Amino acid sequence: MAAAAAVVTPSGLEDAVSRSHGVGAGEAVVERGPGAAYHMFVVMEDLVEKLKLLRYEEELLRKNNLKPPCRHYFALPTNPGEQFYMFCTLAAWLINKAGRHFEQPQEYDDPNATISNILSELRSFGRSADFPPSKLKSGYGEHVCYVLDCLAEEALKYIGFTWKRPTYPVEELEEETVPEDDAELTLNKMDEEFVEEETDNEENFIDLNVLKAQTYRLDLNESAKQEDILESTTDAAEWSLEVERVLPQLKVTIRTDNKDWRIHVDQMHQHKSGIESALKETKGFLDKLHNEIGRTLEKIGSREKYLNSQLEHLVQEYRAAQAQLSEARERYQQGNGGVTERTRLLSEVTEELEKVKQEMEEKGSSMTDGAPLVKIKQSLTKLKQETVQMDIRIGVVEHTLLQSQLKEKSNMTRDMHATIIPESAMGSY
């Protein structure tokens, strides 16, 4: 883990420095190139490496029984609800790792409140968050990767982690003058040399006279070499020792490349042979199974015909019974309809009979009952009493009226006498 943390590429350092200065998903970028859409994939890969440095697999995933996210988990939409819960869990754990107390969010908490708390903690670290909180509710995207990456950097700062310079291993020089790598040839190099030779041959013009002269010289040289070989005085033991010494250097090893078309062709041939060998075995089993199924179907057909021939009269009887049953059901439906109609008529007649009985009872009770006469007599006596009372009231009113008239008359006479006497008195003076 320490060795992996110590090796950092220059591009990774530039990305880390740019993010530490605030250049991330949260700030507005004036000029966004064509690769800006894929920047969150780079940020997500860096985030995974930082989480591994923080040992999130042992401290978070195993404790909460969570699956480890893939390298592009928060960059691509897969399951928004699951991604949002994973984002809140990782953010809370990173805030706690950075030395701040933050409660672990639950599944049924308010997402808006959780997002606002996470953004407030992010701003408290001095990081900018110039984007709407709704961008984090989806659980994936550029802003989610930016927030988690900033919190991971703060957690690494809190634990005192620093990026070290890369340490390269020291290569030991081999004793042999010719390394084995120079003697090894790959398929790509062979193809390139072959293409270069073809281009060189196409560019050069061939002269027939020159070609004949070259072939004549080659024939002379070969004949001379053959004579030299025949007359050679080299010791066989020394020759074999030299061959054993030079043999490892002359070894040609072709490195296999899974992307090479020759490997694919060999694999296709292997698969073809495997399919053919498996087809021979399975074809026999399938043919046997086909024959058994055919015989079974023939037996089933013959048994069916036999049963139909044996039970034909029972089937006819059953069909006749079914026809009779359908006719009986139709008659029952018709009779049931007539019964319901007659029941309705009976209920109507019964209601009319009840009304007539009630009217007859009322008339009979009124003819034999003396209650009306008693009521009439009582009303007559009451009227008489009321007339007597009215007569008394009328007499009282007449008496009161007479007294008021007499009183008024006396008052008028007194007034008249009072007016006459003063006039006579004034005349005597």
Side-chain angles (χ1 to χ4, degrees), residues 356-369:
V356 171
K357 285 182 179 181
Q358 188 175 2
E359 291 177 357
M360 289 177 65
E361 288 179 357
E362 290 179 356
K363 289 182 179 180
S365 61
S366 62
M367 290 175 66
T368 57
D369 191 9

Side-chain angles (χ1 to χ4, degrees), residues 28-41:
V29 181
V30 178
E31 296 181 358
R32 294 173 65 89
Y38 304 96
H39 178 66
M40 60 181 174
F41 292 95

